[in-house]
């Protein structure tokens, strides 16, 4: 028995079927993504047979397929727990392409160990250091821990930059606009160079190689519904402060004061009934961040700042999701979230006891409370971003860092 155990072959992460699945997916997805997204993907011809650590800026839900068009062989993508909590669908995904699970908004030692295992087996790994898609067209915060991981893996680092993705499909939009995109390896950093740069120097090179700012009128992105669901990203009005917005077609309107703007084909925004202080969503987003960072949320606890409605599930990590509440009323205060306030089902989630708050996809919200993960899925107009921003603002204040600017993305 002991001899059998010694001779037993250790199970590998990389399977032969991954090569077959990759080729099948590439065959079917290549024409689809090119036609659907208008993207020109430049093949990484210098790849050879070497495994790489691919780092990319995250712009669309299909970014992983763009990477797959540029690189040969299977690529093992790091993916959040939501992908692994869908029952049999998750099991199928694991079997087909074996992504690397990571807990969003947390330090996941298991994910690091799995990456090191894959690197030892000669696998190519792909990670989006932002961990989030941009809401305003600019590459968002990257956790500097990625530099330390990259140096540990000792793989050549391919920086894969995607340009035009925000124009074609902003995170806040359901639709895809007719426009042009590009995906290409902007730089390769060899392991020896990464070692010499140190964590800080390497992180700076990663930021430079992946940074994109699409707040420029550099092309046309055609759609008759190009403003729809901008309210997923914007909740502060330059005229009346915290507010709700409604969008339809090419216009977005403040429900409080009636301020209406047009989202143009070149990504600019203009006022309908007069001048508007911002030319791009990025400038409006900056104003919103500054506005929230000027609030003392610890004093805004008497009345809810917003009320939403959403279906709530409890996420059993790496297994499935269980229904928790349907059409629940969600009240957002400066220091807490309250579910079904004033009813027998009332539940309070104090910010001081919440471990993390994150946005998944376009507008799903995860709140990590104790051992539970609650996922909120509201209407198409639901703004999940404000919950992330408010939780981070509250955390900054109570930690004595009221001047802190980081609001979660």
């Amino acid at each position: 028995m002991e001899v059998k155990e010694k001779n037993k072959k250790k199970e590998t992460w990389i399977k032969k079927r991954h090569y077959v699945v990759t080729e099948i997916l590439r065959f079917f997805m290549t024409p689809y993504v090119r036609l659907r997204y208008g993207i020109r993907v430049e093949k990484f011809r210098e790849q050879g047979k070497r495994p790489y650590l691919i780092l990319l800026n995250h712009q669309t839900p299909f970014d992983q397929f763009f990477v797959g068009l540029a690189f040969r062989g299977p690529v093992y993508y790091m993916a959040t727990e939501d992908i692994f909590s869908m029952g049999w669908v998750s099991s199928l995904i694991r079997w087909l392409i074996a992504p690397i699970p990571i807990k969003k908004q947390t330090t996941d030692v298991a994910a690091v160990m799995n990456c090191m295992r894959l690197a030892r087996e000669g696998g190519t790994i792909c990670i989006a250091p932002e961990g989030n898609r941009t809401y305003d067209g600019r590459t968002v915060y990257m956790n500097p821990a990625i530099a330390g991981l990259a140096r540990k893996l000792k793989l050549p680092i391919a920086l894969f930059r995607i340009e035009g993705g925000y124009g074609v499909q902003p995170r806040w939009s359901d639709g895809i606009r007719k426009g042009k995109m590009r995906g290409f390896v902007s730089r390769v950093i060899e392991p020896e160079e990464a070692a010499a740069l140190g964590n800080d120097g390497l992180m700076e090179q990663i930021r430079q190689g992946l940074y994109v700012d699409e707040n420029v009128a550099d092309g046309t992105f055609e759609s008759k519904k190009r403003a729809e669901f901008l309210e997923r990203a914007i909740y502060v009005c330059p005229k009346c402060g915290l507010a709700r917005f409604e969008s339809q077609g090419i216009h977005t309107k403040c429900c409080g004061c009636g301020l209406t703007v047009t989202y143009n084909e070149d990504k600019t925004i203009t006022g309908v009934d007069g001048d508007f202080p911002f030319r791009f969503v990025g400038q409006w987003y900056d104003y919103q961040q500054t506005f929230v960072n000027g609030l003392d949320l610890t004093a805004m606890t008497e009345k809810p700042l917003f009320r939403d409605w959403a279906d709530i599930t409890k996420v059993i990590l790496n297994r499935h999701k269980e229904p928790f509440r349907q059409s629940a009323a969600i009240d957002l205060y400066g220091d807490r979230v309250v579910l079904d306030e004033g009813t027998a089902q009332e539940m309070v989630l104090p910010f001081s006891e919440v471990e993390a708050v994150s946005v998944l996809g376009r507008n799903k919200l995860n709140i990590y409370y104790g051992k539970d993960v609650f996922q909120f899925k509201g209407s198409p107009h639901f703004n999940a971003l404000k919950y992330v921003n408010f939780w981070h603002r509250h955390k900054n204040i109570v930690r004595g860092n009221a001047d802190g600017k980081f609001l979660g993305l």
Side-chain angles (χ1 to χ4, degrees):
M1 182 70 176
E2 188 175 338
V3 174
K4 285 184 180 180
E5 287 296 325
K6 285 183 179 179
N7 293 333
K8 187 178 179 181
K9 188 176 180 181
K10 186 177 179 181
E11 185 176 0
T12 61
W13 192 288
I14 300 173
K15 310 291 185 185
K16 289 183 179 179
R17 65 174 176 268
H18 299 159
Y19 291 84
V20 178
V21 171
T22 296
E23 290 305 315
I24 293 172
L25 285 173
R26 185 175 288 120
F27 177 80
F28 286 103
M29 294 306 298
T30 296
Y32 175 81
V33 298
R34 285 178 177 167
L35 289 172
R36 184 72 168 148
Y37 282 88
I39 188 167
R40 176 169 60 89
V41 177
E42 299 176 12
K43 291 187 178 296
F44 183 50
R45 303 192 184 281
E46 295 80 13
Q47 179 181 358
K49 295 182 179 181
R50 301 173 74 193
Y52 280 80
L53 170 62
I54 305 166
L55 303 180
L56 76 153
N57 60 311
H58 199 5
Q59 291 201 327
T60 80
F62 270 68
D63 290 349
Q64 66 272 23
F65 293 106
F66 307 151
V67 171
L69 299 187
F71 288 80
R72 293 191 300 276
V75 176
Y76 296 90
Y77 301 91
M78 188 172 281
T80 61
E81 70 270 15
D82 205 49
I83 294 293
F84 299 92
S85 305
M86 300 186 297
W88 68 268
V89 175
S90 298
S91 298
L92 179 61
I93 292 172
R94 284 193 189 95
W95 189 86
L96 290 172
I97 56 175
I100 307 161
I102 186 171
K103 294 179 182 178
K104 198 174 179 74
Q105 300 293 335
T106 62
T107 301
D108 193 336
V109 176
V112 173
M113 299 304 294
N114 285 330
C115 286
M116 294 181 71
R117 175 183 168 186
L118 260 167
R120 287 194 297 268
E121 291 183 19
T124 289
I125 301 166
C126 183
I127 303 174
E130 296 163 278
N132 271 292
R133 285 168 57 196
T134 173
Y135 271 105
D136 69 345
R138 293 170 295 189
T139 304
V140 299
Y141 171 81
M142 299 182 191
N143 190 329
I146 191 66
L149 173 61
R151 294 177 72 215
K152 280 184 180 179
L153 296 179
K154 297 181 181 179
L155 293 174
I157 304 165
L159 302 181
F160 188 80
R161 190 159 75 220
I162 301 171
E163 299 174 348
Y166 179 79
V168 170
Q169 190 178 27
R171 182 176 185 177
W172 42 264
S173 173
D174 283 348
I176 298 176
R177 297 96 194 282
K178 186 178 180 181
K180 292 183 179 180
M181 290 182 61
R182 181 189 178 201
F184 64 103
V185 174
S186 65
R187 187 180 171 197
V188 173
I189 303 173
E190 295 293 341
E192 298 78 13
E193 183 183 0
L197 284 168
N199 285 355
D200 292 343
L202 177 58
M203 196 65 226
E204 182 58 29
Q205 292 302 311
I206 292 170
R207 290 192 186 101
Q208 289 181 13
L210 297 182
Y211 185 78
V212 172
D213 183 352
E214 291 201 33
N215 287 272
V216 289
D218 57 353
T220 57
F221 300 89
E222 300 172 14
S223 170
K224 293 180 180 179
K225 299 180 179 180
R226 55 185 180 268
E228 288 194 358
F229 306 125
L230 180 57
E231 61 268 30
R232 293 172 179 171
I234 297 297
Y235 58 88
V236 173
C237 174
K239 284 191 176 181
C240 58
L242 295 177
R244 290 187 179 278
F245 289 83
E246 290 182 352
S247 60
Q248 186 174 9
I250 64 173
H251 298 122
T252 295
K253 180 180 179 179
C254 174
C255 298
C257 66
L259 173 72
T260 305
V261 300
T262 302
Y263 189 88
N264 302 304
E265 289 186 348
D266 62 356
K267 298 177 291 185
T268 59
I269 46 180
T270 51
V272 171
D273 298 318
D275 292 337
F276 188 66
F278 314 116
R279 187 164 183 247
F280 293 98
V281 171
Q283 295 167 337
W284 196 352
Y285 191 88
D286 284 345
Y287 173 83
Q288 178 170 278
Q289 299 281 97
T290 301
F291 184 93
V292 173
N293 276 321
L295 298 176
D296 181 6
L297 293 183
T298 59
M300 304 174 77
T301 60
E302 296 299 318
K303 296 189 299 184
L305 304 172
F306 287 96
R307 166 168 276 199
D308 293 300
W309 284 264
D311 293 333
I312 307 173
T313 55
K314 188 180 288 188
V315 181
I316 311 302
L317 292 177
N318 299 320
R319 288 172 57 191
H320 60 272
K321 300 175 185 178
E322 297 177 349
F324 184 69
R325 294 188 186 179
Q326 285 189 327
S327 301
I330 309 158
D331 290 322
L332 175 60
Y333 290 82
D335 65 344
R336 66 194 185 277
V337 172
V338 182
L339 313 181
D340 291 317
E341 188 167 20
T343 72
Q345 286 188 304
E346 180 175 313
M347 181 177 181
V348 181
L349 305 177
F351 284 168
S352 59
E353 299 176 24
V354 169
E355 180 184 352
V357 183
S358 63
V359 184
L360 289 84
R362 298 178 183 91
N363 67 334
K364 285 189 294 185
L365 175 71
N366 270 17
I367 296 182
Y368 300 74
Y369 179 65
K371 295 182 179 180
D372 294 321
V373 180
F374 297 104
Q375 186 167 106
F376 299 72
K377 188 173 182 180
S379 75
H381 304 277
F382 177 59
N383 182 302
L385 177 64
K386 61 181 181 285
Y387 291 86
V388 176
N389 293 164
F390 281 33
W391 179 76
H392 275 274
R393 175 59 182 162
H394 181 273
K395 185 172 71 170
N396 287 341
I397 293 171
V398 297
R399 289 184 176 178
N401 186 26
D403 293 330
K405 303 302 181 186
F406 182 63
L407 293 179
L409 274 81

